[in-house]
Amino acid sequence: MTETTSGLSLHVPEPAVRPGGQPDFSNVKIPAAGAVPRPDIDAAPESMRDLAYSIIRVLNRHGEAVGPWAGTLSHQELLIGLRNMMRLRAFDARMVMAQRQGKTSFYMQHLGEEAVSCAFRKALSKGDMNFPTYRQAGLLIADDYPLVTMMNQIFSNENDPLHGRQMPVLHSAKDHGFFTVSGNLATQYVQAVGWAMASAIKGDTKIAAAWIGDGSTAESDFHSALVFASTYKAPVVLNIVNNQWAISTFQGIARGGSGTFAARGLGFGIPALRVDGNDYLAVHAVAKWAVERARRNLGPTLVEYVTYRAGAHSTSDDPSAYRPKTESEAWPLGDPILRLKNHLIVLGAWSEERHQQTEAEIMDEVIDAQKEAESHGTLHAGGKPSVRDIFEGVYAEMPDHIRRQRQKAGY
Ligand SMILES: Cc1ncc(C[n+]2csc(CCOP(=O)(O)OP(=O)(O)O)c2C)c(N)n1
Ligand SMILES: [Mg+2]
């Protein structure tokens, strides 16, 4: 028996650098595009353990699509993908500005992460259900959800489909396979697995997609969801968006000693894949693979999207307090819009001129939508939901004390 000579201490992971330091992403080991094999859809999870530690990439640094994961999208589909990501970016830029102008209390943008939700949506079928967080509005945009309706929700105006009951950006759109966003993170995982189990119990063909950020995988809901998903082989895709940050907390705090977030799936016998989240083609190919597995009743897949939150966490956050200002530029996987744009130029399907023209057209489209939404009110001006809405839509039968409160309020 060895004797302890000094006191015990805890290991507290620290980010490699702090504000003022040189950005350092040497922890992100990046394989060449095309280097990671593509297993058969029904391959045994044990045969693909390496995929939890690598990064599946399709676009190389010359803008070419290479390797076994390439070829899931036509030129036309790629152009649609580019437009959707550009639309999301323009939408975000206008809404961040609108928040600064006091038209909404709060906004959360997707800067640098547009490929994840935009490409994933294109792998799903109608009737499938996403359980998203606040950072997957691309699921709506890529499903042609009206920008005006999104803005009405963000402005909590008289046309807000949720009647001012939700925080801005916590959308809900059942017909677009977008379950109501819950502010309580990781609940998405247990709900998605439960929904997927119900779909299987009914003998339906619909699958679910769960969404979580790197930081939120530390929540116990993430782990309990994995127990149920793996035990019952639920038809669900379990998505982890690793954007390196959870507000001011770096990803290492939630990851602990495990090699990757994807590797969390291995202990449960769940196939786990890591993918370049800034590569639209790779995200789509991996999503399609995982969706097909679920649809063929082969069970859940865990997918980690390696990306970077280039903007602030929300309009209430200032990242210069906790990370170097130039960290975003040093991110080694580049920008998803630029990378798809360059690929389309290499294919001869796009040009710098068309890109600039499209950027201007999309900005006009977003500004027009904003004008229309503002005509129905913003946070401090114009039309608002009725006070009556506070009392309705919660209980099937309104309890007496709520009824009395409503009468007291005069509604
Ligand atoms: C259960 C729960 N705990 C804490 C919070 C407060 N909170 C909001 S966002 C956030 C960070 C989440 O980071 P991550 O999961 O990495 O997602 P990201 O914001 O990077 O997309 C926290 C802690 C919350 N919303 N829900
Ligand atoms: Mg995060």
Side-chain angles (χ1 to χ4, degrees):
M1 223 174 92
T2 50
E3 251 176 65
T4 310
T5 49
S6 58
L8 299 164
S9 67
L10 287 178
H11 166 66
V12 181
E14 273 293 325
V17 273
R18 288 291 189 187
Q22 276 300 317
D24 178 9
F25 285 113
S26 56
N27 65 317
V28 189
K29 301 273 177 277
I30 302 171
V36 178
R38 183 183 183 280
D40 289 338
I41 301 276
D42 58 358
E46 315 82 76
S47 68
M48 53 177 114
R49 293 176 69 89
D50 289 353
L51 272 66
Y53 295 97
S54 196
I55 302 181
I56 296 165
R57 306 177 65 229
V58 171
L59 290 176
N60 68 16
R61 85 177 90 98
H62 308 295
E64 297 151 342
V66 296
W69 294 89
T72 61
L73 292 160
S74 66
H75 289 194
Q76 192 52 34
E77 288 168 324
L78 289 173
L79 285 168
I80 290 171
L82 181 68
R83 277 182 169 275
N84 284 334
M85 290 198 288
M86 291 169 77
R87 203 172 265 131
L88 179 55
R89 190 165 291 186
F91 185 92
D92 278 349
R94 292 296 301 185
M95 291 300 99
V96 167
M97 207 190 302
Q99 190 277 338
R100 296 297 188 239
Q101 293 166 338
K103 293 173 181 170
T104 177
S105 56
F106 183 71
Y107 191 71
M108 302 182 89
Q109 59 173 330
H110 308 73
L111 193 65
E113 298 176 46
E114 291 89 347
V116 177
S117 50
C118 288
F120 187 87
R121 173 69 246 185
K122 294 297 186 189
L124 292 176
S125 301
K126 189 135 191 75
D128 294 339
M129 186 58 79
N130 284 287
F131 288 77
T133 77
Y134 43 71
R135 227 183 290 281
Q136 279 93 44
L139 294 170
L140 289 173
I141 289 197
D143 201 45
D144 297 322
Y145 189 73
L147 301 185
V148 178
T149 313
M150 282 170 77
M151 289 174 180
N152 288 337
Q153 196 281 338
I154 291 161
F155 295 151
S156 309
N157 66 21
E158 66 192 7
N159 277 12
D160 169 4
L162 306 180
H163 306 276
R165 297 186 192 110
Q166 273 274 40
M167 267 180 80
V169 314
L170 303 190
H171 303 284
S172 173
K174 189 178 179 184
D175 292 346
H176 290 261
F178 193 95
F179 199 85
T180 311
V181 179
S182 166
N184 303 57
L185 295 167
T187 53
Q188 291 78 11
Y189 255 57
V190 276
Q191 291 171 5
V193 172
W195 194 97
M197 286 170 66
S199 182
I201 290 167
K202 284 189 280 190
D204 209 330
T205 57
K206 299 179 186 113
I207 66 144
W211 292 89
I212 202 165
D214 44 272
S216 307
T217 61
E219 284 284 337
S220 52
D221 276 356
F222 170 74
H223 302 269
S224 4
L226 261 53
V227 172
F228 280 83
S230 60
T231 300
Y232 297 105
K233 296 210 185 321
V236 60
V237 182
L238 303 162
N239 295 307
I240 303 174
V241 184
N242 174 8
N243 62 5
Q244 314 301 320
W245 290 95
I247 314 184
S248 56
T249 305
F250 92 115
Q251 48 82 27
I253 290 273
R255 191 169 50 85
S258 93
T260 62
F261 287 100
R264 296 278 199 227
L266 298 181
F268 292 90
I270 297 177
L273 287 72
R274 247 174 132 227
V275 55
D276 179 343
N278 291 14
D279 178 337
Y280 187 90
L281 287 81
V283 170
H284 181 263
V286 168
K288 203 167 169 270
W289 189 94
V291 165
E292 194 181 331
R293 255 184 70 81
R295 188 103 54 213
R296 282 174 49 185
N297 215 29
L298 295 164
T301 307
L302 189 71
V303 182
E304 175 186 346
Y305 303 89
V306 183
T307 183
Y308 182 80
R309 197 199 74 210
H313 170 72
S314 70
T315 48
S316 314
D317 173 48
D318 173 11
S320 70
Y322 54 82
R323 66 185 191 187
K325 280 204 171 81
T326 54
E327 196 180 80
S328 171
E329 292 143 43
W331 173 243
L333 293 172
D335 177 82
I337 295 183
L338 267 181
R339 285 175 69 191
L340 183 53
K341 171 191 164 195
N342 289 341
H343 176 54
L344 284 161
I345 291 174
V346 167
L347 289 176
W350 201 236
S351 66
E352 200 60 62
E353 298 70 50
R354 284 178 72 183
H355 192 82
Q356 278 177 23
Q357 195 188 337
T358 304
E359 219 161 36
E361 278 168 22
I362 286 176
M363 193 46 91
D364 284 348
E365 180 199 352
V366 174
I367 290 171
D368 285 350
Q370 189 175 351
K371 281 191 187 135
E372 191 183 332
E374 288 190 13
S375 76
H376 298 293
T378 61
L379 182 63
H380 293 300
K384 289 192 183 359
S386 165
V387 171
R388 192 186 172 90
D389 290 326
I390 299 171
F391 302 98
E392 305 213 318
V394 178
Y395 296 98
E397 283 172 36
M398 194 178 285
D400 276 345
H401 72 286
I402 302 282
R403 195 184 313 281
R404 280 196 299 277
Q405 283 177 18
R406 192 181 75 185
Q407 279 159 1
K408 209 168 165 186
Y411 291 85

Short mmCIF file of all heavy atoms in Angstrom, two decimals, residues 15-47:
data_model
loop_
_atom_site.label_atom_id
_atom_site.label_comp_id
_atom_site.label_asym_id
_atom_site.label_seq_id
_atom_site.Cartn_x
_atom_site.Cartn_y
_atom_site.Cartn_z
N PRO A 15 -8.96 26.29 -20.51
CA PRO A 15 -8.74 26.51 -21.95
C PRO A 15 -7.27 26.79 -22.23
O PRO A 15 -6.55 27.29 -21.35
CB PRO A 15 -9.60 27.73 -22.28
CG PRO A 15 -10.01 28.31 -21.00
CD PRO A 15 -9.81 27.31 -19.91
N ALA A 16 -6.83 26.46 -23.45
CA ALA A 16 -5.42 26.63 -23.81
C ALA A 16 -4.99 28.09 -23.72
O ALA A 16 -3.85 28.38 -23.35
CB ALA A 16 -5.18 26.09 -25.22
N VAL A 17 -5.90 28.99 -24.06
CA VAL A 17 -5.54 30.42 -24.02
C VAL A 17 -6.69 31.26 -23.48
O VAL A 17 -7.85 30.87 -23.53
CB VAL A 17 -5.21 30.99 -25.43
CG1 VAL A 17 -3.77 30.79 -25.78
CG2 VAL A 17 -6.13 30.45 -26.49
N ARG A 18 -6.32 32.43 -23.04
CA ARG A 18 -7.28 33.41 -22.51
C ARG A 18 -7.12 34.70 -23.30
O ARG A 18 -6.19 34.82 -24.11
CB ARG A 18 -7.00 33.65 -21.02
CG ARG A 18 -7.40 32.48 -20.11
CD ARG A 18 -8.91 32.36 -20.06
NE ARG A 18 -9.35 31.40 -19.06
CZ ARG A 18 -10.63 31.01 -18.93
NH1 ARG A 18 -11.56 31.50 -19.73
NH2 ARG A 18 -10.99 30.14 -18.02
N PRO A 19 -7.99 35.70 -23.09
CA PRO A 19 -7.87 36.96 -23.83
C PRO A 19 -6.44 37.51 -23.75
O PRO A 19 -5.82 37.44 -22.70
CB PRO A 19 -8.86 37.88 -23.13
CG PRO A 19 -9.89 36.96 -22.59
CD PRO A 19 -9.17 35.70 -22.20
N GLY A 20 -5.95 37.98 -24.88
CA GLY A 20 -4.59 38.51 -24.94
C GLY A 20 -3.60 37.48 -25.44
O GLY A 20 -2.53 37.82 -25.93
N GLY A 21 -3.96 36.19 -25.35
CA GLY A 21 -3.06 35.12 -25.79
C GLY A 21 -3.22 34.82 -27.28
O GLY A 21 -4.10 35.37 -27.94
N GLN A 22 -2.34 33.94 -27.78
CA GLN A 22 -2.41 33.51 -29.18
C GLN A 22 -3.41 32.35 -29.29
O GLN A 22 -3.26 31.37 -28.55
CB GLN A 22 -1.03 32.99 -29.63
CG GLN A 22 -0.07 34.07 -30.10
CD GLN A 22 -0.63 34.85 -31.29
OE1 GLN A 22 -1.18 34.27 -32.21
NE2 GLN A 22 -0.51 36.17 -31.23
N PRO A 23 -4.38 32.43 -30.19
CA PRO A 23 -5.32 31.31 -30.35
C PRO A 23 -4.58 30.01 -30.64
O PRO A 23 -3.57 30.01 -31.34
CB PRO A 23 -6.16 31.72 -31.57
CG PRO A 23 -5.98 33.19 -31.69
CD PRO A 23 -4.65 33.53 -31.11
N ASP A 24 -5.08 28.92 -30.09
CA ASP A 24 -4.39 27.64 -30.25
C ASP A 24 -5.42 26.52 -30.44
O ASP A 24 -6.15 26.18 -29.51
CB ASP A 24 -3.54 27.36 -29.00
CG ASP A 24 -2.82 26.02 -29.08
OD1 ASP A 24 -2.84 25.38 -30.15
OD2 ASP A 24 -2.24 25.61 -28.05
N PHE A 25 -5.48 25.98 -31.64
CA PHE A 25 -6.40 24.88 -31.92
C PHE A 25 -5.63 23.58 -32.20
O PHE A 25 -6.10 22.73 -32.94
CB PHE A 25 -7.34 25.23 -33.08
CG PHE A 25 -8.41 26.20 -32.69
CD1 PHE A 25 -8.45 27.48 -33.21
CD2 PHE A 25 -9.39 25.83 -31.78
CE1 PHE A 25 -9.44 28.38 -32.85
CE2 PHE A 25 -10.40 26.72 -31.40
CZ PHE A 25 -10.42 28.00 -31.94
N SER A 26 -4.47 23.47 -31.58
CA SER A 26 -3.67 22.26 -31.83
C SER A 26 -4.37 21.01 -31.30
O SER A 26 -4.03 19.89 -31.67
CB SER A 26 -2.27 22.41 -31.23
OG SER A 26 -2.39 22.71 -29.86
N ASN A 27 -5.39 21.20 -30.44
CA ASN A 27 -6.15 20.04 -29.93
C ASN A 27 -7.10 19.47 -30.99
O ASN A 27 -7.60 18.37 -30.85
CB ASN A 27 -6.94 20.42 -28.67
CG ASN A 27 -8.02 21.45 -28.98
OD1 ASN A 27 -7.78 22.42 -29.72
ND2 ASN A 27 -9.19 21.27 -28.44
N VAL A 28 -7.38 20.26 -32.03
CA VAL A 28 -8.30 19.79 -33.08
C VAL A 28 -7.48 19.13 -34.18
O VAL A 28 -6.86 19.80 -35.00
CB VAL A 28 -9.15 20.97 -33.66
CG1 VAL A 28 -10.25 20.46 -34.57
CG2 VAL A 28 -9.74 21.80 -32.54
N LYS A 29 -7.45 17.82 -34.17
CA LYS A 29 -6.65 17.07 -35.17
C LYS A 29 -7.51 16.87 -36.41
O LYS A 29 -8.57 16.24 -36.34
CB LYS A 29 -6.25 15.68 -34.60
CG LYS A 29 -5.45 15.77 -33.31
CD LYS A 29 -3.94 15.90 -33.58
CE LYS A 29 -3.14 16.05 -32.30
NZ LYS A 29 -3.07 17.43 -31.76
N ILE A 30 -7.03 17.42 -37.52
CA ILE A 30 -7.87 17.43 -38.73
C ILE A 30 -7.32 16.50 -39.81
O ILE A 30 -6.28 16.78 -40.40
CB ILE A 30 -7.98 18.86 -39.27
CG1 ILE A 30 -8.57 19.74 -38.16
CG2 ILE A 30 -8.89 18.92 -40.51
CD1 ILE A 30 -8.54 21.19 -38.46
N PRO A 31 -8.02 15.40 -40.10
CA PRO A 31 -7.57 14.52 -41.18
C PRO A 31 -7.83 15.16 -42.55
O PRO A 31 -8.64 16.09 -42.65
CB PRO A 31 -8.44 13.27 -41.01
CG PRO A 31 -9.61 13.69 -40.21
CD PRO A 31 -9.29 14.97 -39.50
N ALA A 32 -7.18 14.66 -43.58
CA ALA A 32 -7.41 15.18 -44.93
C ALA A 32 -8.84 14.87 -45.36
O ALA A 32 -9.42 13.86 -44.94
CB ALA A 32 -6.43 14.51 -45.89
N ALA A 33 -9.40 15.74 -46.22
CA ALA A 33 -10.74 15.49 -46.76
C ALA A 33 -10.70 14.16 -47.50
O ALA A 33 -9.72 13.83 -48.17
CB ALA A 33 -11.14 16.62 -47.69
N GLY A 34 -11.75 13.38 -47.37
CA GLY A 34 -11.85 12.11 -48.08
C GLY A 34 -11.15 10.94 -47.41
O GLY A 34 -11.23 9.81 -47.88
N ALA A 35 -10.47 11.20 -46.28
CA ALA A 35 -9.64 10.15 -45.67
C ALA A 35 -10.42 9.15 -44.82
O ALA A 35 -9.97 8.02 -44.61
CB ALA A 35 -8.55 10.80 -44.81
N VAL A 36 -11.61 9.55 -44.34
CA VAL A 36 -12.35 8.67 -43.42
C VAL A 36 -13.28 7.75 -44.22
O VAL A 36 -14.04 8.23 -45.06
CB VAL A 36 -13.16 9.51 -42.39
CG1 VAL A 36 -13.96 8.61 -41.46
CG2 VAL A 36 -12.22 10.42 -41.59
N PRO A 37 -13.23 6.43 -43.96
CA PRO A 37 -14.09 5.51 -44.73
C PRO A 37 -15.58 5.70 -44.44
O PRO A 37 -15.95 6.27 -43.41
CB PRO A 37 -13.64 4.12 -44.25
CG PRO A 37 -12.93 4.33 -42.97
CD PRO A 37 -12.39 5.73 -42.98
N ARG A 38 -16.39 5.22 -45.38
CA ARG A 38 -17.85 5.29 -45.18
C ARG A 38 -18.36 3.87 -44.98
O ARG A 38 -18.43 3.09 -45.94
CB ARG A 38 -18.52 5.92 -46.42
CG ARG A 38 -20.02 6.11 -46.29
CD ARG A 38 -20.61 6.66 -47.60
NE ARG A 38 -22.02 6.92 -47.49
CZ ARG A 38 -22.99 6.00 -47.58
NH1 ARG A 38 -22.65 4.73 -47.79
NH2 ARG A 38 -24.25 6.33 -47.49
N PRO A 39 -18.72 3.49 -43.74
CA PRO A 39 -19.18 2.12 -43.51
C PRO A 39 -20.55 1.88 -44.15
O PRO A 39 -21.28 2.83 -44.42
CB PRO A 39 -19.31 2.04 -41.98
CG PRO A 39 -18.80 3.32 -41.44
CD PRO A 39 -18.77 4.32 -42.53
N ASP A 40 -20.88 0.61 -44.37
CA ASP A 40 -22.23 0.28 -44.81
C ASP A 40 -23.21 0.73 -43.74
O ASP A 40 -22.87 0.74 -42.55
CB ASP A 40 -22.38 -1.24 -45.01
CG ASP A 40 -21.59 -1.70 -46.23
OD1 ASP A 40 -21.31 -0.86 -47.11
OD2 ASP A 40 -21.24 -2.91 -46.26
N ILE A 41 -24.43 1.05 -44.17
CA ILE A 41 -25.44 1.55 -43.23
C ILE A 41 -25.68 0.55 -42.09
O ILE A 41 -25.91 0.93 -40.95
CB ILE A 41 -26.78 1.81 -43.96
CG1 ILE A 41 -26.59 2.83 -45.09
CG2 ILE A 41 -27.90 2.20 -43.01
CD1 ILE A 41 -26.65 4.27 -44.69
N ASP A 42 -25.61 -0.75 -42.42
CA ASP A 42 -25.91 -1.75 -41.39
C ASP A 42 -24.65 -2.34 -40.74
O ASP A 42 -24.71 -3.38 -40.10
CB ASP A 42 -26.80 -2.86 -41.97
CG ASP A 42 -26.15 -3.54 -43.16
OD1 ASP A 42 -25.04 -3.11 -43.55
OD2 ASP A 42 -26.75 -4.48 -43.71
N ALA A 43 -23.54 -1.63 -40.88
CA ALA A 43 -22.29 -2.12 -40.27
C ALA A 43 -22.43 -2.15 -38.74
O ALA A 43 -23.17 -1.34 -38.16
CB ALA A 43 -21.13 -1.22 -40.67
N ALA A 44 -21.73 -3.08 -38.11
CA ALA A 44 -21.80 -3.19 -36.65
C ALA A 44 -21.08 -2.02 -35.99
O ALA A 44 -20.01 -1.61 -36.45
CB ALA A 44 -21.15 -4.51 -36.22
N PRO A 45 -21.67 -1.46 -34.92
CA PRO A 45 -21.04 -0.31 -34.24
C PRO A 45 -19.57 -0.58 -33.87
O PRO A 45 -18.73 0.31 -33.99
CB PRO A 45 -21.89 -0.13 -32.99
CG PRO A 45 -23.21 -0.76 -33.30
CD PRO A 45 -22.96 -1.84 -34.31
N GLU A 46 -19.25 -1.83 -33.47
CA GLU A 46 -17.87 -2.12 -33.04
C GLU A 46 -16.88 -1.96 -34.20
O GLU A 46 -15.69 -1.75 -33.99
CB GLU A 46 -17.70 -3.56 -32.53
CG GLU A 46 -18.75 -4.07 -31.59
CD GLU A 46 -19.99 -4.57 -32.29
OE1 GLU A 46 -19.97 -5.67 -32.88
OE2 GLU A 46 -21.00 -3.81 -32.25
N SER A 47 -17.39 -2.10 -35.45
CA SER A 47 -16.49 -2.05 -36.60
C SER A 47 -16.14 -0.61 -37.00
O SER A 47 -15.33 -0.40 -37.89
CB SER A 47 -17.12 -2.77 -37.79
OG SER A 47 -18.24 -2.03 -38.25
#
